[in-house]
Amino acid sequence: MSTATTTAPPIEDGALRWFRRLVWAGIIANVVVGIVSLAYPTQVLELAKVDPATPLVWPRLSAMLIMLLAGFYIPAALDPDANRFAAVFAVVCRFAGTIFMAVVGGHYIIFGLFDFVFGAPQAICLYLAWQRRKAAAAGRSGSGTVVAIIASLLAAGAFAWGAFHWLMQPVLPQFASDEDYFKYGSIGNDGASGIPYPIWIAMQDVCARHLPRPQGYAALGFLYERGRNPAVDTPIGFSRAKVGVERVAINCAVCHTVRARMAADAEPQLYVGAAANTVDVLGYLQFLSRCAADERFTADQLLPAMAAKVKLSWFDKITYRFVLIPFVRKRLLEQGEGLAWAKRRPAWGPGRIDPFNPVKFGMLHLADDETIGNSDMQAIWNLNAREQIRPHAPLHWDGLNNSVREVVISSALGDGTVAREFKLPAMERIERFLRALPPPPSPHRPDAAAVERGKAIFAANCAECHAPDGTRTLTVIPIAEIGTDINRSHMWTELARDTYNNFREGRDWGFKSFRKVSGYVAEPLGGLWLNGPYLHNGSVPTLRDLLEPAAQRPAAFVRGLDIVDARNGGFLAPPCDPRAPPPEGFCFDTRLVGNGNDGHVYGTALPASDKSDLLAYLLTL
Amino acid sequence: MTDDALTIGWTQAEAATRRTAYRRLLGFTLIVQTVLGLIALIVPVWLARSADLPGPPPAGWVQLWGVMLLITASLYLPGWIEPLHVRWPNIVGIIARVVLAIAYVSLGRGLRWFALYELIFAVALAWSYRALLRADLMSRP
């Protein structure tokens, strides 16, 4: 009697079954994403937070290709045993996509995560299935479970890292106009130093007592364009970008846009590229740290103020209460501690800044050398014209760099830009804009005959250093000759120069043009009517005062007013007593160190009539 | 030598010839695809400019196209190694070329040359693969 034996079909391993399911799921996902991307490419890109693609044929082509790719995965989904090569390649190709997108970086990593979410479990299942098959064939009990668990943990960690990276990449608003970009665009500091918008907008209410006047951020001299509501909108010089949450950070325009009125009751005009005469940067930074130290900087106080202006979900409220508000408070207190050195120096006041000591002590990690770099904010227009006057013309008051590109990038670094958020095209856009930005023509119309006489006086006394064809225009005039306050020049040291030229934090910034020069740059006078107060430290309120000997120049005057002084040049700057703060503006005391109004005596010995004629001409510049 | 033996030998030799011809043709297209993918990946801007691709395309999208061409080529490999036993990639590959050709035509500019290339080779591969399958069928006793 013979016994017929039948061979039962091999029972499919659970891991292999899951592999097939995952491959099918990946195929379906590819097709669905492909179809949706073909139909709605812009919306898909928005959802993924990647940059808009122009033209849209490229995302559409990619959508089509991922659908076609799905067709090649089918043999692996049908029978991975019979199609081992296809099974392995299905997994390998998912990882290739992941790696490519990880290398591209930014928000594109979301597409890598899409591949990873299928590729990693497929790889683990395939490994498990084939290990078990091999072990069974060899009569062993090993199943590869330990390896699979470790791989799963690693994969979960990698996915979490990728998702976090995607979430924390800044989502930057787009600006069609270069001027709008300059005023509101990101310079790459949003993640590193941006404050979550709901907290930032509520701070002006919760901490109103730390502002000079009950006007919100406008009390610090920040400028709002017509149609923008100071209660909820950001002023000029502040970008808004989403880095996890929407954040507010400063940009170049905060120090380089001015508001001017021709009379107290006149409509204010904004001039981009000019020195921000009203903006109190130190006051703003101190407000932030004082507010963070205030007992009111709590979730209980901030959340209602935030909710009054911004719609917050229950998840937002929990996140802000337990994570973001404590975190922001800590960061602002640290920022305040980092600025402690400024308390040992005279206040900057509106329209002034010490731009390089924060860089020296913070970014370059140099020791506090007790120097004072307080100086007037500078107009930054006419950069191309400067280079036409003198190639590689010195920039900054003391000419510490002569490369426009380096100055744009290093200024952004000074405002908090970091390597991981840095975008060279953004810097290049700002540079292009500033190179072509002309100064606004003077609105003053003095007596024409006086202007003509003044022009001749200018040619005889001033043109050598300030006319476009002057032999010394845009050169550094030694301190011994110019005689103005030495502190700003002393602030920039050889050590600072060398350290900045070798600065490599996050990337090689390629600086090589920082230099140490002892003196101040003889600037061309385009836009002079908007540049007051005058001298590098803004220590002389008007052009008329500048034509007087130092002893007769105002010892203390109000800075930060925006009414143009049509008679004297510059802005209205009434005298004041530093012991009694004025109701508006800031009492600037020239007797404090770094604020000296000595020097630049050119024209001070002219007869009164000549001074008057010269002033008439200067008012037209 | 009998007629029968001659016929079987001939059909088997014919199948082998067809197999070699198809593999050569497919191998050539896969090499071209790989080279194009690498160029797109390494010098996307140069490729975009030289091939007059629609745009100006952001380099990243051209590179992504290159990566996808490389991935497709690698997924095609089993079909090249065993064209008779692993038929799926060959069939999907021919269909994909036709679809891509249509897509390239609709996307325009320099991609139309790629469309022409894909269409020519889709037809050539389809004809060659069909001939291979018939020859293989005829070679069986």
Side-chain angles (χ1 to χ4, degrees):
Chain A
M1 188 176 151
S2 65
T3 308
T5 55
T6 54
T7 308
I11 298 167
E12 188 178 37
D13 180 84
L16 204 61
R17 195 160 51 240
W18 271 107
F19 173 79
R20 293 178 57 219
R21 287 174 181 164
L22 284 163
V23 177
W24 278 120
I27 290 168
I28 293 166
N30 269 27
V31 172
V32 170
V33 170
I35 290 171
V36 174
S37 302
L38 263 179
Y40 306 104
T42 308
Q43 289 83 346
V44 169
L45 294 180
E46 263 178 36
L47 199 66
K49 300 184 185 177
V50 301
D51 300 332
T54 309
L56 284 171
V57 298
W58 289 96
R60 284 202 164 110
L61 178 60
S62 301
M64 178 147 286
L65 281 166
I66 66 165
M67 285 195 288
L68 292 177
L69 271 182
F72 286 94
Y73 295 144
I74 289 174
L78 287 172
D79 190 349
D81 267 334
N83 300 294
R84 288 188 160 221
F85 200 101
V88 171
F89 263 68
V91 173
V92 168
C93 289
R94 289 284 184 190
F95 278 101
T98 304
I99 291 167
F100 173 73
M101 289 301 176
V103 170
V104 171
H107 284 114
Y108 291 90
I109 202 167
I110 189 73
F111 298 123
L113 289 175
F114 174 82
D115 273 333
F116 188 76
V117 88
F118 295 106
Q122 282 172 15
I124 291 165
C125 288
L126 198 61
Y127 170 80
L128 266 180
W130 287 352
Q131 274 301 109
R132 285 175 186 168
R133 187 78 48 87
K134 218 160 87 181
R140 285 187 282 109
S141 59
S143 63
T145 308
V146 175
V147 174
I149 289 171
I150 293 169
S152 300
L153 290 173
L154 288 174
F159 182 83
W161 179 86
F164 178 78
H165 190 76
W166 175 72
L167 198 67
M168 296 308 286
Q169 278 291 316
V171 181
L172 307 176
Q174 305 294 312
F175 295 92
S177 121
D178 288 347
E179 182 175 316
D180 283 344
Y181 183 77
F182 180 75
K183 288 188 286 195
Y184 301 110
S186 166
I187 56 170
N189 57 355
D190 311 277
S193 56
I195 300 172
Y197 166 74
I199 296 178
W200 185 86
I201 205 72
M203 283 172 73
Q204 61 180 339
D205 301 324
V206 171
C207 297
R209 62 179 170 177
H210 295 296
L211 290 167
R213 282 170 294 283
Q215 299 171 344
Y217 288 118
L220 293 163
F222 294 125
L223 313 176
Y224 291 86
E225 289 188 274
R226 187 201 297 269
R228 289 177 75 91
N229 178 4
V232 291
D233 289 328
T234 47
I236 288 174
F238 285 80
S239 61
R240 282 169 73 170
K242 194 167 182 185
V243 189
V245 295
E246 188 172 28
R247 300 175 192 231
V248 176
I250 60 169
N251 67 19
C252 309
V254 76
C255 292
H256 299 292
T257 303
V258 77
R259 180 183 60 212
R261 288 180 290 165
M262 296 311 295
D265 56 352
E267 184 69 20
Q269 301 292 321
L270 296 172
Y271 297 96
V272 173
N277 179 46
T278 60
V279 171
D280 186 353
V281 172
L282 185 60
Y284 171 65
L285 296 173
Q286 289 175 336
F287 163 77
L288 295 179
S289 53
R290 283 175 188 150
C291 184
D294 194 296
E295 61 190 10
R296 296 182 189 189
F297 198 97
T298 62
D300 287 342
Q301 294 284 336
L302 280 166
L303 278 173
M306 290 158 61
K309 295 181 173 181
V310 185
K311 192 177 174 189
L312 297 173
S313 67
W314 63 268
F315 181 76
D316 291 333
K317 288 177 184 169
I318 290 174
T319 310
Y320 274 100
R321 176 176 290 277
F322 296 107
V323 181
L324 291 174
I325 291 175
F327 179 75
V328 169
R329 182 172 184 275
K330 181 169 173 288
R331 289 295 300 271
L332 292 179
L333 290 174
E334 285 170 1
Q335 181 178 293
E337 286 164 17
L339 260 180
W341 58 268
K343 291 179 186 165
R344 299 190 292 275
R345 276 101 165 152
W348 302 350
R352 298 211 319 157
I353 191 169
D354 182 343
F356 284 98
N357 268 332
V359 172
K360 280 163 55 185
F361 308 148
M363 211 169 78
L364 303 180
H365 308 296
L366 300 179
D368 185 349
D369 52 10
E370 303 296 332
T371 58
I372 295 169
N374 295 0
S375 48
D376 224 28
M377 291 169 186
Q378 256 186 305
I380 50 174
W381 46 51
N382 250 2
L383 297 183
N384 270 345
R386 289 172 70 93
E387 297 214 323
Q388 281 160 11
I389 292 172
R390 195 171 299 282
H392 308 296
L395 295 148
H396 288 293
W397 288 115
D398 58 350
L400 59 74
N401 196 305
N402 61 359
S403 156
V404 173
R405 171 157 297 203
E406 288 191 22
V407 166
V408 170
I409 293 173
S410 60
S411 298
L413 288 174
D415 288 342
T417 297
V418 290
R420 68 175 178 276
E421 298 179 50
F422 176 76
K423 286 187 168 57
L424 185 60
M427 298 292 108
E428 289 171 338
R429 189 176 184 185
I430 291 171
E431 181 183 334
R432 274 197 310 274
F433 173 66
L434 294 177
R435 279 183 176 279
L437 181 68
S442 170
H444 302 311
R445 297 289 178 270
D447 173 65
V451 171
E452 275 308 305
R453 292 193 299 274
K455 195 173 180 180
I457 297 167
F458 179 86
N461 293 275
C462 317
E464 183 186 1
C465 291
H466 293 300
D469 57 352
T471 54
R472 301 181 77 190
T473 305
L474 286 173
T475 63
V476 176
I477 311 296
I479 294 281
E481 185 180 341
I482 189 87
T484 47
D485 192 291
I486 200 169
N487 283 279
R488 170 65 179 79
S489 179
H490 269 181
M491 178 279 308
W492 192 244
T493 60
E494 281 86 358
L495 178 62
R497 171 200 64 196
D498 296 340
T499 312
Y500 218 169
N501 275 334
N502 292 304
F503 184 61
R504 302 277 187 277
E505 199 163 294
R507 60 180 285 156
D508 182 357
W509 297 94
F511 296 145
K512 53 178 190 275
S513 303
F514 283 103
R515 56 197 192 150
K516 169 62 189 166
V517 191
S518 292
Y520 296 112
V521 179
E523 291 284 335
L525 301 185
L528 186 67
W529 69 281
L530 268 181
N531 282 352
Y534 299 95
L535 295 185
H536 74 273
N537 56 356
S539 58
V540 181
T542 67
L543 291 170
R544 187 181 294 277
D545 293 318
L546 193 59
L547 295 176
E548 298 299 330
Q552 292 171 34
R553 295 170 180 168
F557 60 92
V558 177
R559 285 192 60 116
L561 305 185
D562 63 356
I563 302 171
V564 173
D565 187 341
R567 203 171 70 84
N568 301 308
F571 293 92
L572 286 187
C576 59
D577 180 352
R579 291 165 298 185
E584 199 178 351
F586 169 84
C587 189
F588 181 84
D589 187 353
T590 62
R591 289 157 295 204
L592 296 178
V593 63
N595 291 1
N597 61 2
D598 291 333
H600 198 280
V601 295
Y602 313 102
T604 58
L606 290 170
S609 59
D610 284 4
K611 283 184 186 175
S612 180
D613 292 341
L614 179 57
L615 180 61
Y617 175 68
L618 293 176
L619 283 171
T620 66
L621 298 177
Chain B
M1 185 179 283
T2 65
D3 286 351
D4 192 36
L6 180 68
T7 304
I8 290 170
W10 185 85
T11 54
Q12 284 177 341
E14 177 70 4
T17 307
R18 295 286 183 188
R19 184 175 181 276
T20 305
Y22 175 74
R23 288 188 76 228
R24 279 184 182 159
L25 187 64
L26 178 58
F28 171 76
T29 64
L30 290 182
I31 288 169
V32 170
Q33 190 170 326
T34 304
V35 170
L36 180 63
L38 286 173
I39 291 172
L41 189 62
I42 297 165
V43 280
V45 177
W46 177 83
L47 176 67
R49 203 175 298 138
S50 311
D52 188 31
L53 299 182
W61 288 104
V62 181
Q63 288 178 312
L64 180 61
W65 177 47
V67 166
M68 287 190 170
L69 289 178
L70 292 174
I71 288 175
T72 316
S74 66
L75 286 168
Y76 221 136
L77 275 180
W80 176 78
I81 295 167
E82 284 291 344
L84 286 170
H85 297 117
V86 186
R87 297 184 181 183
W88 186 265
N90 295 293
I91 295 164
V92 169
I94 291 164
I95 296 168
R97 283 179 197 283
V98 175
V99 173
L100 262 184
I102 295 167
Y104 286 156
V105 167
S106 65
L107 297 177
R109 286 182 54 177
L111 283 175
R112 290 191 180 126
W113 291 107
F114 292 96
L116 186 64
Y117 165 83
E118 294 290 2
L119 201 59
I120 288 170
F121 277 90
V123 171
L125 283 168
W127 178 83
S128 178
Y129 197 54
R130 181 174 166 275
L132 168 61
L133 292 178
R134 284 186 64 177
D136 179 61
L137 201 65
M138 297 296 284
S139 70
R140 292 174 191 172

